[in-house]
Amino acid sequence: MTTFAKGHGTENDFVLLDDPDGRLDLTPELIRHLSDRRAGLGADGVIRVVRSAAAGQDAAGEWFMDYWNSDGSAAEMCGNGSRVFVAHLLRRGWITLDEGDEVLITTRGGVMPVKRRGDLFTIDLGAWRVAGGPAAVAAGSDVKVTFPGMPPLPGLSIALSNPHVVVALPDVEILEALDLTVAPIVEPAPPNGTNVEIVVPLHDQSVRSELGHLKMRVHERGSGETRSCGTGTVAAALAARAWGANLAPDHWRIDVLGGTLYVDTEGTASEGDSAKLSGPAVIVAEGELV
């Protein structure tokens, strides 16, 4: 029997499969079945919980977050999933983590520290960059993004563990009416696909504030529209920071469909060595696969 848990971070939900010794044969078919919201357990993604050594990962983090999208495709990592992953390790007793302590977790996007802060967890996603560099920052975009029933809109590509494209809209009504039942068309098309974040700034952009505020929706590659995307909120903050130039803050509140996340950034307008994501993690169920 394989034990599992179901958890979410701002309603971005996951099935976590316990496989500490690396014995589970995790196939795309099994991932799709588990993720199915009618025939399976229902999830935006599946995380195999396995020790790095057992997964063939030569890394500093003892535990490997083997993350898969609901369509059975592998992803570099998942910001919301990383917090749920650590909460699950704590619940299983596989790690201890006191207030202010951090644990290193291994992902396909690298080894990343996760710190406990009361009921929240903070992950440092490490180095990031605007994919098109300073030229894209100066232009404000490097791709065009088309949604159903709308003309092409400018988007800014952010390289941050996973690939992202961020699009800004002028008001919340347009954001709420946006059709994300089909994948947005990004041109030029990224070779490995991309997540697309759509944001509306809610803070006063005419003056520098301590805390930026965005409302966001997201279409994730391999999963469709989700209630939240952790790396996507960080990408959204980094894009808004690039667009805002000298008036843009380094600290951000991002409101997603499933709740609120916080982002702390540093670096130039086009690149940096650190971007931190803070938010909750909730385990809602445990069981055994039959």
Short mmCIF file of all heavy atoms in Angstrom, two decimals, residues 41 97 99 146-147 171 254:
data_model
loop_
_atom_site.label_atom_id
_atom_site.label_comp_id
_atom_site.label_asym_id
_atom_site.label_seq_id
_atom_site.Cartn_x
_atom_site.Cartn_y
_atom_site.Cartn_z
N LEU A 41 -8.52 11.45 -7.04
CA LEU A 41 -8.54 12.24 -5.81
C LEU A 41 -8.72 13.72 -6.10
O LEU A 41 -9.19 14.47 -5.23
CB LEU A 41 -7.23 12.03 -5.03
CG LEU A 41 -7.02 10.63 -4.47
CD1 LEU A 41 -5.59 10.47 -3.97
CD2 LEU A 41 -8.00 10.35 -3.35
N LEU A 97 11.10 21.26 12.49
CA LEU A 97 11.32 22.62 12.03
C LEU A 97 10.67 23.58 13.02
O LEU A 97 9.47 23.77 13.03
CB LEU A 97 10.70 22.80 10.63
CG LEU A 97 11.21 23.94 9.76
CD1 LEU A 97 12.69 23.76 9.45
CD2 LEU A 97 10.41 24.03 8.47
N GLU A 99 10.15 27.39 14.90
CA GLU A 99 9.95 28.75 14.41
C GLU A 99 11.29 29.39 14.03
O GLU A 99 12.25 29.37 14.80
CB GLU A 99 9.27 29.59 15.50
CG GLU A 99 9.20 31.08 15.21
CD GLU A 99 8.26 31.43 14.07
OE1 GLU A 99 7.35 30.62 13.79
OE2 GLU A 99 8.42 32.51 13.49
N THR A 146 -2.33 36.14 -26.55
CA THR A 146 -3.70 36.29 -27.05
C THR A 146 -4.64 35.41 -26.24
O THR A 146 -4.42 34.21 -26.10
CB THR A 146 -3.78 35.91 -28.54
OG1 THR A 146 -2.87 36.70 -29.29
CG2 THR A 146 -5.19 36.15 -29.07
N PHE A 147 -5.71 36.04 -25.73
CA PHE A 147 -6.78 35.34 -25.03
C PHE A 147 -8.01 35.32 -25.93
O PHE A 147 -8.16 36.20 -26.79
CB PHE A 147 -7.11 36.05 -23.72
CG PHE A 147 -5.94 36.18 -22.78
CD1 PHE A 147 -5.17 37.33 -22.76
CD2 PHE A 147 -5.61 35.15 -21.91
CE1 PHE A 147 -4.09 37.46 -21.91
CE2 PHE A 147 -4.53 35.26 -21.05
CZ PHE A 147 -3.77 36.43 -21.05
N ASP A 171 -8.04 46.88 -15.47
CA ASP A 171 -8.97 46.87 -14.35
C ASP A 171 -9.43 45.46 -14.02
O ASP A 171 -9.28 44.52 -14.82
CB ASP A 171 -10.18 47.79 -14.60
CG ASP A 171 -11.02 47.36 -15.79
OD1 ASP A 171 -11.53 46.23 -15.79
OD2 ASP A 171 -11.18 48.16 -16.72
N ILE A 254 0.01 39.65 -3.15
CA ILE A 254 -0.63 39.15 -4.37
C ILE A 254 -1.92 38.43 -3.98
O ILE A 254 -1.88 37.42 -3.27
CB ILE A 254 0.29 38.18 -5.15
CG1 ILE A 254 1.73 38.70 -5.21
CG2 ILE A 254 -0.29 37.94 -6.54
CD1 ILE A 254 1.95 39.92 -6.03
#
